[in-house]
Amino acid sequence: MGDVAFHTATTVDEALSLVGDGSDAKVVAGGSDLIVQARGGRDLPANVVAIHRIEALRGIDASGDLTLGALASHADITASAAIRSTWTALADASAIVGSHATRNVGTIGGNVMNASPAMETGAPLLVLDARVTLRSAAGGDRTVPIDELWTGPGRTSAQPGELLIDVVVPSLPAHSGSAYVRLEYRRAMEIAIVGASACVTLDGDVVTSAAVALTAVGPTLLRSPSAAAAVIGTTGDAAALAAVAAGASADASPISDLRANEDYRRAMIGVIAKRAVDVAIRRARGEEFPIPATPVFMEGSAR
Ligand SMILES: Cc1cc2nc3c(=O)[nH]c(=O)nc-3n(C[C@H](O)[C@H](O)[C@H](O)COP(=O)(O)OP(=O)(O)OC[C@H]3O[C@@H](n4cnc5c(N)ncnc54)[C@H](O)[C@@H]3O)c2cc1C
């Protein structure tokens, strides 16, 4: 690795001028992906621009649509009463990222821009129809729907010199619920074998709209239109949930790697998508369901 220059920006404009001057540069927020990857042998760019001191990128505003500053940490998201009650899938996801330490330093901006197909917040952001604001010194702001952000493993449609400013998640209609569930081999510090998120809206007992998205079963996070269609117009009964499972398995395009083979991932994504839809429906009905929806071992927890 060549010499790396480390800069600390205290304003967005300063960060933009440091990453937008044509030099080989990357920003670092919490560093829990970038620095860990560099320790694993991946080259750092010639210039690393730290953004963690930029106050304008902090904060969570849930007064209308939900706006997450790029530096909102997984701990901030998990602790937000508004996110837990309204955009619950996101709380389910952030609550199981790594350990307490990872959740304290790891940011939503870093999770999204690292673009891992196994990232926790990706599927919830898809089902919640999020969008991101990208800003560059030369081009100003542009809004990118989350469906158009990820272009492959570790790749986004962001241009060199663009900084993610915030993630915006629309408000939901009444009687909506959402959930994110992960399959894992151990109960902490784990990467998803597969994961799924669902968001539903009910009219009485019937699901009138639904979105389902899948984690770690494709080169990017995937929507599952078949799983969503299978539950719309139903009450989420056993037959509908079985159809959700079949739909998710059909829409997945998993790979085999040392963590799981393709067949196992395809079978399990059905099980996990079914759970996510079931929990989303229960929450939409006003039932209490623990956060995170993925069972965790905690003191006093019997789940
Ligand atoms: C022990 C451990 C456990 C983990 N467990 C999980 C897990 O369970 N689930 C999970 O999803 N992740 C996990 N991670 C990965 C990581 O913690 C998360 O992805 C975290 O959200 C990354 O945020 P960060 O601020 O640390 O990113 P950084 O490492 O600072 O940045 C990651 C990437 O995003 C870019 N970037 C960051 N912020 C911006 C911005 N505002 N604009 C443009 N580009 C930006 C950086 O240039 C870099 O390419 C784990 C990591 C560790 C070390």
Side-chain angles (χ1 to χ4, degrees):
M1 192 187 296
D3 283 350
V4 176
F6 187 85
H7 316 264
T8 303
T10 52
T11 66
V12 172
D13 285 347
E14 192 186 347
L16 288 177
S17 72
L18 285 164
V19 294
D21 65 359
S23 60
D24 177 26
K26 228 171 182 194
V27 301
V28 61
S32 64
D33 275 318
L34 191 72
I35 303 305
V36 173
Q37 288 157 7
R39 284 192 183 149
R42 196 182 290 185
D43 276 350
L44 282 172
N47 294 289
V48 173
V49 179
I51 58 170
H52 63 283
R53 295 225 178 113
I54 305 179
E55 281 308 313
L57 295 179
R58 289 196 185 283
I60 294 177
D61 179 359
S63 52
D65 290 349
L66 172 68
T67 302
L68 301 166
L71 291 177
S73 70
H74 296 290
D76 295 336
I77 291 170
T78 308
S80 160
I83 296 176
R84 294 173 76 88
S85 65
T86 305
W87 298 276
T88 321
L90 208 46
D92 284 333
S94 282
I96 56 173
V97 169
S99 62
H100 282 290
T102 326
R103 293 192 286 277
N104 279 326
V105 297
T107 64
I108 188 77
N111 203 219
V112 164
M113 295 304 279
N114 191 54
S116 162
M119 82 175 86
E120 243 60 74
T121 61
L125 292 176
L126 273 173
V127 301
L128 294 169
D129 283 328
R131 55 189 188 270
V132 301
T133 310
L134 299 178
R135 184 178 299 170
S136 66
D141 281 6
R142 67 185 179 109
T143 300
V144 178
I146 204 78
D147 293 83
E148 294 170 21
L149 185 68
W150 300 302
T151 53
R155 291 200 304 275
T156 71
S157 57
Q159 299 299 311
E162 278 187 323
L163 193 65
L164 182 139
I165 300 296
D166 57 29
V167 177
V168 179
V169 190
S171 342
L172 293 169
H175 311 298
S176 295
S178 67
Y180 173 72
V181 180
R182 173 173 90 177
L183 174 68
E184 49 199 5
Y185 290 142
R186 56 181 189 183
R187 293 284 162 89
M189 302 293 281
E190 179 61 308
I191 298 172
I193 311 304
V194 298
S197 188
C199 180
V200 302
T201 303
L202 304 182
D203 181 359
D205 221 23
V206 175
V207 177
T208 52
S209 79
V212 177
L214 313 176
T215 309
V217 288
T220 64
L221 286 301
L222 297 181
R223 283 187 184 267
S224 176
S226 312
V231 75
I232 294 173
T234 78
T235 55
D237 54 278
L241 293 179
V244 165
S249 294
D251 287 345
S253 63
I255 54 164
S256 296
D257 61 17
L258 81 163
R259 303 171 57 70
N261 74 20
E262 180 187 338
D263 290 345
Y264 181 68
R265 280 204 167 95
R266 194 179 291 286
M268 287 305 105
I269 193 62
V271 176
I272 294 301
K274 185 168 85 166
R275 281 190 200 160
V277 170
D278 186 36
V279 175
I281 292 173
R282 292 203 217 179
R283 285 177 173 159
R285 288 189 180 130
E287 271 180 48
E288 284 295 323
F289 197 92
I291 300 170
T294 303
V296 285
F297 283 132
M298 287 186 295
E299 252 174 86
S301 163
R303 295 168 59 218

mmCIF file of all heavy atoms in Angstrom, residues 26-37 51 57 70 74 96-99 102 105-114 118-121 162-165 182 189-191, ligand 1:
data_model
loop_
_atom_site.group_PDB
_atom_site.id
_atom_site.type_symbol
_atom_site.label_atom_id
_atom_site.label_comp_id
_atom_site.label_asym_id
_atom_site.label_seq_id
_atom_site.Cartn_x
_atom_site.Cartn_y
_atom_site.Cartn_z
ATOM 1 N N LYS A 26 -11.426 8.961 -0.867
ATOM 2 C CA LYS A 26 -12.626 8.305 -0.363
ATOM 3 C C LYS A 26 -12.947 8.867 1.006
ATOM 4 O O LYS A 26 -12.028 9.223 1.755
ATOM 5 C CB LYS A 26 -12.353 6.809 -0.221
ATOM 6 C CG LYS A 26 -13.440 5.984 -0.838
ATOM 7 C CD LYS A 26 -13.145 4.550 -0.914
ATOM 8 C CE LYS A 26 -14.360 3.961 -1.621
ATOM 9 N NZ LYS A 26 -14.459 2.587 -1.546
ATOM 10 N N VAL A 27 -14.238 8.924 1.354
ATOM 11 C CA VAL A 27 -14.563 9.370 2.693
ATOM 12 C C VAL A 27 -14.604 8.174 3.636
ATOM 13 O O VAL A 27 -14.825 7.031 3.218
ATOM 14 C CB VAL A 27 -15.911 10.129 2.758
ATOM 15 C CG1 VAL A 27 -15.884 11.346 1.867
ATOM 16 C CG2 VAL A 27 -17.072 9.233 2.430
ATOM 17 N N VAL A 28 -14.387 8.463 4.889
ATOM 18 C CA VAL A 28 -14.562 7.458 5.936
ATOM 19 C C VAL A 28 -15.455 8.062 7.016
ATOM 20 O O VAL A 28 -15.255 9.203 7.417
ATOM 21 C CB VAL A 28 -13.198 6.970 6.498
ATOM 22 C CG1 VAL A 28 -12.403 8.099 7.140
ATOM 23 C CG2 VAL A 28 -13.395 5.825 7.485
ATOM 24 N N ALA A 29 -16.488 7.294 7.412
ATOM 25 C CA ALA A 29 -17.409 7.780 8.455
ATOM 26 C C ALA A 29 -17.037 7.084 9.758
ATOM 27 O O ALA A 29 -16.208 7.569 10.523
ATOM 28 C CB ALA A 29 -18.837 7.525 8.034
ATOM 29 N N GLY A 30 -17.606 5.905 10.021
ATOM 30 C CA GLY A 30 -17.222 5.153 11.224
ATOM 31 C C GLY A 30 -15.977 4.305 10.996
ATOM 32 O O GLY A 30 -15.298 3.904 11.942
ATOM 33 N N GLY A 31 -15.700 3.971 9.743
ATOM 34 C CA GLY A 31 -14.504 3.179 9.414
ATOM 35 C C GLY A 31 -14.680 1.682 9.621
ATOM 36 O O GLY A 31 -13.755 0.909 9.400
ATOM 37 N N SER A 32 -15.878 1.247 10.012
ATOM 38 C CA SER A 32 -16.041 -0.177 10.363
ATOM 39 C C SER A 32 -16.119 -1.079 9.137
ATOM 40 O O SER A 32 -16.017 -2.290 9.262
ATOM 41 C CB SER A 32 -17.254 -0.373 11.276
ATOM 42 O OG SER A 32 -18.446 -0.031 10.626
ATOM 43 N N ASP A 33 -16.270 -0.520 7.948
ATOM 44 C CA ASP A 33 -16.080 -1.278 6.713
ATOM 45 C C ASP A 33 -14.738 -0.914 6.088
ATOM 46 O O ASP A 33 -13.910 -1.787 5.844
ATOM 47 C CB ASP A 33 -17.201 -0.988 5.695
ATOM 48 C CG ASP A 33 -18.431 -1.859 5.912
ATOM 49 O OD1 ASP A 33 -18.256 -3.068 6.177
ATOM 50 O OD2 ASP A 33 -19.547 -1.349 5.829
ATOM 51 N N LEU A 34 -14.525 0.374 5.845
ATOM 52 C CA LEU A 34 -13.356 0.797 5.060
ATOM 53 C C LEU A 34 -12.040 0.381 5.719
ATOM 54 O O LEU A 34 -11.163 -0.199 5.080
ATOM 55 C CB LEU A 34 -13.382 2.320 4.871
ATOM 56 C CG LEU A 34 -12.378 2.849 3.858
ATOM 57 C CD1 LEU A 34 -12.792 2.482 2.446
ATOM 58 C CD2 LEU A 34 -12.235 4.358 3.974
ATOM 59 N N ILE A 35 -11.920 0.660 7.003
ATOM 60 C CA ILE A 35 -10.633 0.407 7.665
ATOM 61 C C ILE A 35 -10.452 -1.104 7.887
ATOM 62 O O ILE A 35 -9.355 -1.641 7.746
ATOM 63 C CB ILE A 35 -10.540 1.189 9.006
ATOM 64 C CG1 ILE A 35 -10.748 2.696 8.746
ATOM 65 C CG2 ILE A 35 -9.240 0.921 9.721
ATOM 66 C CD1 ILE A 35 -9.819 3.324 7.712
ATOM 67 N N VAL A 36 -11.561 -1.785 8.184
ATOM 68 C CA VAL A 36 -11.477 -3.236 8.368
ATOM 69 C C VAL A 36 -11.077 -3.896 7.042
ATOM 70 O O VAL A 36 -10.237 -4.800 7.005
ATOM 71 C CB VAL A 36 -12.827 -3.782 8.902
ATOM 72 C CG1 VAL A 36 -12.834 -5.300 8.933
ATOM 73 C CG2 VAL A 36 -13.100 -3.228 10.299
ATOM 74 N N GLN A 37 -11.628 -3.405 5.921
ATOM 75 C CA GLN A 37 -11.241 -3.952 4.607
ATOM 76 C C GLN A 37 -9.767 -3.670 4.319
ATOM 77 O O GLN A 37 -9.063 -4.520 3.765
ATOM 78 C CB GLN A 37 -12.112 -3.332 3.506
ATOM 79 C CG GLN A 37 -13.547 -3.835 3.520
ATOM 80 C CD GLN A 37 -14.529 -2.880 2.840
ATOM 81 O OE1 GLN A 37 -14.143 -1.881 2.242
ATOM 82 N NE2 GLN A 37 -15.801 -3.203 2.940
ATOM 83 N N ILE A 51 -15.240 12.166 7.846
ATOM 84 C CA ILE A 51 -16.405 13.072 7.904
ATOM 85 C C ILE A 51 -17.097 13.026 9.265
ATOM 86 O O ILE A 51 -18.114 13.676 9.459
ATOM 87 C CB ILE A 51 -17.418 12.754 6.776
ATOM 88 C CG1 ILE A 51 -17.914 11.291 6.854
ATOM 89 C CG2 ILE A 51 -16.819 13.041 5.404
ATOM 90 C CD1 ILE A 51 -19.083 10.974 5.919
ATOM 91 N N LEU A 57 -24.199 16.450 9.274
ATOM 92 C CA LEU A 57 -24.574 15.129 8.756
ATOM 93 C C LEU A 57 -25.143 14.221 9.842
ATOM 94 O O LEU A 57 -25.442 13.060 9.603
ATOM 95 C CB LEU A 57 -23.362 14.446 8.096
ATOM 96 C CG LEU A 57 -22.807 15.120 6.842
ATOM 97 C CD1 LEU A 57 -21.610 14.353 6.304
ATOM 98 C CD2 LEU A 57 -23.887 15.229 5.766
ATOM 99 N N ALA A 70 -26.444 11.247 7.175
ATOM 100 C CA ALA A 70 -25.523 10.175 6.773
ATOM 101 C C ALA A 70 -24.800 9.572 7.968
ATOM 102 O O ALA A 70 -24.450 8.392 7.970
ATOM 103 C CB ALA A 70 -24.503 10.721 5.774
ATOM 104 N N HIS A 74 -26.100 3.094 13.803
ATOM 105 C CA HIS A 74 -27.070 2.018 14.046
ATOM 106 C C HIS A 74 -27.624 2.130 15.475
ATOM 107 O O HIS A 74 -28.791 1.815 15.713
ATOM 108 C CB HIS A 74 -26.422 0.664 13.798
ATOM 109 C CG HIS A 74 -26.011 0.476 12.361
ATOM 110 N ND1 HIS A 74 -26.926 0.323 11.357
ATOM 111 C CD2 HIS A 74 -24.794 0.458 11.766
ATOM 112 C CE1 HIS A 74 -26.289 0.196 10.194
ATOM 113 N NE2 HIS A 74 -25.001 0.282 10.419
ATOM 114 N N ILE A 96 -29.272 -5.422 14.938
ATOM 115 C CA ILE A 96 -28.469 -6.658 14.899
ATOM 116 C C ILE A 96 -27.159 -6.475 14.133
ATOM 117 O O ILE A 96 -26.461 -7.450 13.846
ATOM 118 C CB ILE A 96 -29.271 -7.851 14.317
ATOM 119 C CG1 ILE A 96 -29.817 -7.543 12.918
ATOM 120 C CG2 ILE A 96 -30.398 -8.255 15.263
ATOM 121 C CD1 ILE A 96 -30.458 -8.755 12.239
ATOM 122 N N VAL A 97 -26.804 -5.237 13.801
ATOM 123 C CA VAL A 97 -25.507 -5.003 13.138
ATOM 124 C C VAL A 97 -24.393 -5.224 14.164
ATOM 125 O O VAL A 97 -24.338 -4.529 15.189
ATOM 126 C CB VAL A 97 -25.435 -3.573 12.557
ATOM 127 C CG1 VAL A 97 -24.011 -3.236 12.118
ATOM 128 C CG2 VAL A 97 -26.399 -3.424 11.389
ATOM 129 N N GLY A 98 -23.521 -6.204 13.895
ATOM 130 C CA GLY A 98 -22.314 -6.411 14.693
ATOM 131 C C GLY A 98 -22.567 -6.461 16.187
ATOM 132 O O GLY A 98 -23.466 -7.148 16.670
ATOM 133 N N SER A 99 -21.757 -5.677 16.905
ATOM 134 C CA SER A 99 -21.823 -5.630 18.374
ATOM 135 C C SER A 99 -22.213 -4.211 18.800
ATOM 136 O O SER A 99 -22.384 -3.337 17.956
ATOM 137 C CB SER A 99 -20.437 -5.932 18.930
ATOM 138 O OG SER A 99 -19.560 -4.911 18.463
ATOM 139 N N THR A 102 -19.802 -1.884 17.152
ATOM 140 C CA THR A 102 -20.067 -1.679 15.716
ATOM 141 C C THR A 102 -21.252 -0.747 15.531
ATOM 142 O O THR A 102 -21.245 0.128 14.664
ATOM 143 C CB THR A 102 -20.396 -3.025 15.028
ATOM 144 O OG1 THR A 102 -19.641 -4.073 15.627
ATOM 145 C CG2 THR A 102 -20.119 -2.969 13.552
ATOM 146 N N VAL A 105 -20.249 2.970 16.178
ATOM 147 C CA VAL A 105 -19.440 3.690 15.169
ATOM 148 C C VAL A 105 -20.026 3.569 13.766
ATOM 149 O O VAL A 105 -19.827 4.445 12.939
ATOM 150 C CB VAL A 105 -17.961 3.240 15.127
ATOM 151 C CG1 VAL A 105 -17.257 3.537 16.428
ATOM 152 C CG2 VAL A 105 -17.813 1.791 14.729
ATOM 153 N N GLY A 106 -20.708 2.476 13.475
ATOM 154 C CA GLY A 106 -21.194 2.222 12.113
ATOM 155 C C GLY A 106 -22.362 3.134 11.777
ATOM 156 O O GLY A 106 -23.286 3.303 12.574
ATOM 157 N N THR A 107 -22.338 3.718 10.581
ATOM 158 C CA THR A 107 -23.355 4.705 10.202
ATOM 159 C C THR A 107 -24.260 4.158 9.096
ATOM 160 O O THR A 107 -23.894 3.235 8.375
ATOM 161 C CB THR A 107 -22.683 5.988 9.673
ATOM 162 O OG1 THR A 107 -21.957 5.675 8.471
ATOM 163 C CG2 THR A 107 -21.747 6.596 10.704
ATOM 164 N N ILE A 108 -25.417 4.793 8.937
ATOM 165 C CA ILE A 108 -26.320 4.415 7.840
ATOM 166 C C ILE A 108 -25.659 4.740 6.503
ATOM 167 O O ILE A 108 -25.740 3.947 5.557
ATOM 168 C CB ILE A 108 -27.711 5.114 7.989
ATOM 169 C CG1 ILE A 108 -28.713 4.582 6.975
ATOM 170 C CG2 ILE A 108 -27.616 6.626 7.855
ATOM 171 C CD1 ILE A 108 -29.291 3.251 7.290
ATOM 172 N N GLY A 109 -24.973 5.869 6.423
ATOM 173 C CA GLY A 109 -24.313 6.240 5.164
ATOM 174 C C GLY A 109 -23.271 5.209 4.761
ATOM 175 O O GLY A 109 -23.176 4.820 3.597
ATOM 176 N N GLY A 110 -22.497 4.745 5.737
ATOM 177 C CA GLY A 110 -21.463 3.752 5.447
ATOM 178 C C GLY A 110 -22.066 2.414 5.054
ATOM 179 O O GLY A 110 -21.594 1.744 4.135
ATOM 180 N N ASN A 111 -23.132 2.023 5.731
ATOM 181 C CA ASN A 111 -23.797 0.746 5.421
ATOM 182 C C ASN A 111 -24.309 0.766 3.977
ATOM 183 O O ASN A 111 -24.068 -0.153 3.194
ATOM 184 C CB ASN A 111 -24.949 0.529 6.412
ATOM 185 C CG ASN A 111 -25.370 -0.932 6.580
ATOM 186 O OD1 ASN A 111 -26.544 -1.224 6.695
ATOM 187 N ND2 ASN A 111 -24.445 -1.867 6.616
ATOM 188 N N VAL A 112 -24.979 1.852 3.622
ATOM 189 C CA VAL A 112 -25.586 1.973 2.297
ATOM 190 C C VAL A 112 -24.514 2.093 1.206
ATOM 191 O O VAL A 112 -24.591 1.452 0.161
ATOM 192 C CB VAL A 112 -26.525 3.205 2.297
ATOM 193 C CG1 VAL A 112 -26.881 3.632 0.894
ATOM 194 C CG2 VAL A 112 -27.794 2.899 3.090
ATOM 195 N N MET A 113 -23.478 2.901 1.439
ATOM 196 C CA MET A 113 -22.483 3.162 0.392
ATOM 197 C C MET A 113 -21.470 2.029 0.266
ATOM 198 O O MET A 113 -20.816 1.890 -0.762
ATOM 199 C CB MET A 113 -21.768 4.497 0.651
ATOM 200 C CG MET A 113 -22.688 5.697 0.560
ATOM 201 S SD MET A 113 -23.575 5.811 -1.022
ATOM 202 C CE MET A 113 -22.304 6.531 -2.039
ATOM 203 N N ASN A 114 -21.344 1.205 1.286
ATOM 204 C CA ASN A 114 -20.474 0.028 1.175
ATOM 205 C C ASN A 114 -21.071 -0.997 0.200
ATOM 206 O O ASN A 114 -20.361 -1.792 -0.391
ATOM 207 C CB ASN A 114 -20.273 -0.592 2.560
ATOM 208 C CG ASN A 114 -19.185 -1.632 2.570
ATOM 209 O OD1 ASN A 114 -18.060 -1.354 2.142
ATOM 210 N ND2 ASN A 114 -19.496 -2.833 3.008
ATOM 211 N N ALA A 118 -25.186 -8.218 1.500
ATOM 212 C CA ALA A 118 -25.592 -8.797 2.791
ATOM 213 C C ALA A 118 -25.835 -7.715 3.841
ATOM 214 O O ALA A 118 -26.057 -8.031 4.999
ATOM 215 C CB ALA A 118 -24.512 -9.769 3.279
ATOM 216 N N MET A 119 -25.813 -6.446 3.435
ATOM 217 C CA MET A 119 -25.982 -5.372 4.428
ATOM 218 C C MET A 119 -27.357 -5.458 5.084
ATOM 219 O O MET A 119 -28.351 -5.832 4.441
ATOM 220 C CB MET A 119 -25.837 -4.005 3.772
ATOM 221 C CG MET A 119 -27.105 -3.531 3.099
ATOM 222 S SD MET A 119 -27.018 -1.887 2.450
ATOM 223 C CE MET A 119 -26.314 -2.192 0.862
ATOM 224 N N GLU A 120 -27.402 -5.059 6.351
ATOM 225 C CA GLU A 120 -28.662 -5.200 7.097
ATOM 226 C C GLU A 120 -29.737 -4.205 6.691
ATOM 227 O O GLU A 120 -30.911 -4.540 6.606
ATOM 228 C CB GLU A 120 -28.353 -5.047 8.591
ATOM 229 C CG GLU A 120 -28.639 -6.262 9.396
ATOM 230 C CD GLU A 120 -27.835 -7.479 8.953
ATOM 231 O OE1 GLU A 120 -26.627 -7.554 9.210
ATOM 232 O OE2 GLU A 120 -28.439 -8.382 8.340
ATOM 233 N N THR A 121 -29.362 -2.940 6.476
ATOM 234 C CA THR A 121 -30.428 -1.931 6.299
ATOM 235 C C THR A 121 -30.973 -1.895 4.867
ATOM 236 O O THR A 121 -31.979 -1.233 4.612
ATOM 237 C CB THR A 121 -29.938 -0.500 6.661
ATOM 238 O OG1 THR A 121 -28.859 -0.145 5.787
ATOM 239 C CG2 THR A 121 -29.481 -0.433 8.107
ATOM 240 N N GLU A 162 -18.971 12.380 -5.087
ATOM 241 C CA GLU A 162 -20.291 12.566 -4.476
ATOM 242 C C GLU A 162 -20.301 12.040 -3.043
ATOM 243 O O GLU A 162 -19.757 10.965 -2.756
ATOM 244 C CB GLU A 162 -21.377 11.854 -5.287
ATOM 245 C CG GLU A 162 -21.844 12.670 -6.485
ATOM 246 C CD GLU A 162 -23.039 12.056 -7.195
ATOM 247 O OE1 GLU A 162 -23.120 10.816 -7.296
ATOM 248 O OE2 GLU A 162 -23.894 12.817 -7.677
ATOM 249 N N LEU A 163 -20.950 12.814 -2.193
ATOM 250 C CA LEU A 163 -21.093 12.453 -0.780
ATOM 251 C C LEU A 163 -22.565 12.157 -0.517
ATOM 252 O O LEU A 163 -23.438 12.882 -1.000
ATOM 253 C CB LEU A 163 -20.659 13.668 0.040
ATOM 254 C CG LEU A 163 -20.400 13.532 1.518
ATOM 255 C CD1 LEU A 163 -19.207 12.615 1.766
ATOM 256 C CD2 LEU A 163 -20.112 14.922 2.117
ATOM 257 N N LEU A 164 -22.842 11.082 0.228
ATOM 258 C CA LEU A 164 -24.216 10.839 0.650
ATOM 259 C C LEU A 164 -24.517 11.774 1.814
ATOM 260 O O LEU A 164 -23.782 11.792 2.806
ATOM 261 C CB LEU A 164 -24.413 9.380 1.064
ATOM 262 C CG LEU A 164 -25.846 9.030 1.474
ATOM 263 C CD1 LEU A 164 -26.248 7.680 0.918
ATOM 264 C CD2 LEU A 164 -26.012 9.024 2.974
ATOM 265 N N ILE A 165 -25.566 12.572 1.649
ATOM 266 C CA ILE A 165 -25.919 13.569 2.674
ATOM 267 C C ILE A 165 -26.954 13.006 3.638
ATOM 268 O O ILE A 165 -26.836 13.136 4.847
ATOM 269 C CB ILE A 165 -26.471 14.863 2.006
ATOM 270 C CG1 ILE A 165 -25.409 15.462 1.075
ATOM 271 C CG2 ILE A 165 -26.949 15.867 3.038
ATOM 272 C CD1 ILE A 165 -24.156 15.943 1.788
ATOM 273 N N ARG A 182 -33.280 -11.937 9.837
ATOM 274 C CA ARG A 182 -32.026 -12.465 9.283
ATOM 275 C C ARG A 182 -31.844 -13.907 9.730
ATOM 276 O O ARG A 182 -32.136 -14.243 10.878
ATOM 277 C CB ARG A 182 -30.878 -11.593 9.817
ATOM 278 C CG ARG A 182 -29.491 -12.074 9.499
ATOM 279 C CD ARG A 182 -28.456 -11.054 9.935
ATOM 280 N NE ARG A 182 -28.006 -11.260 11.313
ATOM 281 C CZ ARG A 182 -27.072 -10.546 11.921
ATOM 282 N NH1 ARG A 182 -26.497 -9.537 11.280
ATOM 283 N NH2 ARG A 182 -26.711 -10.792 13.159
ATOM 284 N N MET A 189 -22.529 -10.722 15.914
ATOM 285 C CA MET A 189 -21.327 -10.585 15.087
ATOM 286 C C MET A 189 -21.386 -11.510 13.888
ATOM 287 O O MET A 189 -20.463 -12.241 13.597
ATOM 288 C CB MET A 189 -20.074 -10.891 15.923
ATOM 289 C CG MET A 189 -19.916 -10.020 17.121
ATOM 290 S SD MET A 189 -19.604 -8.311 16.668
ATOM 291 C CE MET A 189 -17.868 -8.413 16.262
ATOM 292 N N GLU A 190 -22.499 -11.485 13.198
ATOM 293 C CA GLU A 190 -22.734 -12.448 12.127
ATOM 294 C C GLU A 190 -23.122 -11.715 10.853
ATOM 295 O O GLU A 190 -23.719 -10.651 10.891
ATOM 296 C CB GLU A 190 -23.867 -13.399 12.583
ATOM 297 C CG GLU A 190 -24.280 -14.447 11.607
ATOM 298 C CD GLU A 190 -23.186 -15.409 11.212
ATOM 299 O OE1 GLU A 190 -22.108 -14.964 10.812
ATOM 300 O OE2 GLU A 190 -23.439 -16.631 11.286
ATOM 301 N N ILE A 191 -22.768 -12.292 9.714
ATOM 302 C CA ILE A 191 -23.233 -11.770 8.422
ATOM 303 C C ILE A 191 -24.452 -12.603 8.031
ATOM 304 O O ILE A 191 -24.483 -13.808 8.286
ATOM 305 C CB ILE A 191 -22.122 -11.913 7.364
ATOM 306 C CG1 ILE A 191 -20.905 -11.084 7.773
ATOM 307 C CG2 ILE A 191 -22.619 -11.493 5.985
ATOM 308 C CD1 ILE A 191 -19.698 -11.305 6.888
HETATM 309 C C1 LIG B 1 -17.178 -6.530 13.637
HETATM 310 C C2 LIG B 1 -18.098 -6.023 12.571
HETATM 311 C C3 LIG B 1 -19.391 -6.507 12.473
HETATM 312 C C4 LIG B 1 -20.260 -6.038 11.472
HETATM 313 N N1 LIG B 1 -21.515 -6.536 11.408
HETATM 314 C C5 LIG B 1 -22.372 -6.082 10.447
HETATM 315 C C6 LIG B 1 -23.707 -6.593 10.378
HETATM 316 O O1 LIG B 1 -24.127 -7.437 11.176
HETATM 317 N N2 LIG B 1 -24.515 -6.095 9.396
HETATM 318 C C7 LIG B 1 -24.090 -5.133 8.511
HETATM 319 O O2 LIG B 1 -24.874 -4.703 7.657
HETATM 320 N N3 LIG B 1 -22.835 -4.635 8.582
HETATM 321 C C8 LIG B 1 -21.972 -5.083 9.515
HETATM 322 N N4 LIG B 1 -20.699 -4.593 9.582
HETATM 323 C C9 LIG B 1 -20.277 -3.600 8.593
HETATM 324 C C10 LIG B 1 -20.322 -2.116 9.060
HETATM 325 O O3 LIG B 1 -20.256 -1.984 10.439
HETATM 326 C C11 LIG B 1 -21.583 -1.402 8.579
HETATM 327 O O4 LIG B 1 -21.723 -1.535 7.165
HETATM 328 C C12 LIG B 1 -21.562 0.108 8.936
HETATM 329 O O5 LIG B 1 -22.847 0.660 8.804
HETATM 330 C C13 LIG B 1 -20.588 0.872 8.067
HETATM 331 O O6 LIG B 1 -20.611 2.224 8.472
HETATM 332 P P1 LIG B 1 -19.272 3.049 8.674
HETATM 333 O O7 LIG B 1 -19.675 4.448 8.973
HETATM 334 O O8 LIG B 1 -18.367 2.405 9.643
HETATM 335 O O9 LIG B 1 -18.654 2.940 7.183
HETATM 336 P P2 LIG B 1 -17.200 3.302 6.665
HETATM 337 O O10 LIG B 1 -16.290 2.131 6.856
HETATM 338 O O11 LIG B 1 -16.753 4.611 7.201
HETATM 339 O O12 LIG B 1 -17.521 3.475 5.105
HETATM 340 C C14 LIG B 1 -17.980 2.384 4.326
HETATM 341 C C15 LIG B 1 -18.000 2.797 2.856
HETATM 342 O O13 LIG B 1 -18.966 3.801 2.626
HETATM 343 C C16 LIG B 1 -18.372 4.997 2.140
HETATM 344 N N5 LIG B 1 -19.049 6.093 2.834
HETATM 345 C C17 LIG B 1 -19.283 6.200 4.171
HETATM 346 N N6 LIG B 1 -20.025 7.293 4.421
HETATM 347 C C18 LIG B 1 -20.251 7.891 3.219
HETATM 348 C C19 LIG B 1 -20.954 9.066 2.825
HETATM 349 N N7 LIG B 1 -21.603 9.849 3.700
HETATM 350 N N8 LIG B 1 -20.967 9.398 1.498
HETATM 351 C C20 LIG B 1 -20.328 8.614 0.587
HETATM 352 N N9 LIG B 1 -19.669 7.471 0.907
HETATM 353 C C21 LIG B 1 -19.628 7.129 2.203
HETATM 354 C C22 LIG B 1 -16.891 4.875 2.478
HETATM 355 O O14 LIG B 1 -16.081 5.603 1.568
HETATM 356 C C23 LIG B 1 -16.671 3.382 2.373
HETATM 357 O O15 LIG B 1 -16.505 3.010 1.025
HETATM 358 C C24 LIG B 1 -19.806 -5.042 10.557
HETATM 359 C C25 LIG B 1 -18.499 -4.536 10.681
HETATM 360 C C26 LIG B 1 -17.651 -5.007 11.670
HETATM 361 C C27 LIG B 1 -16.264 -4.445 11.778
#
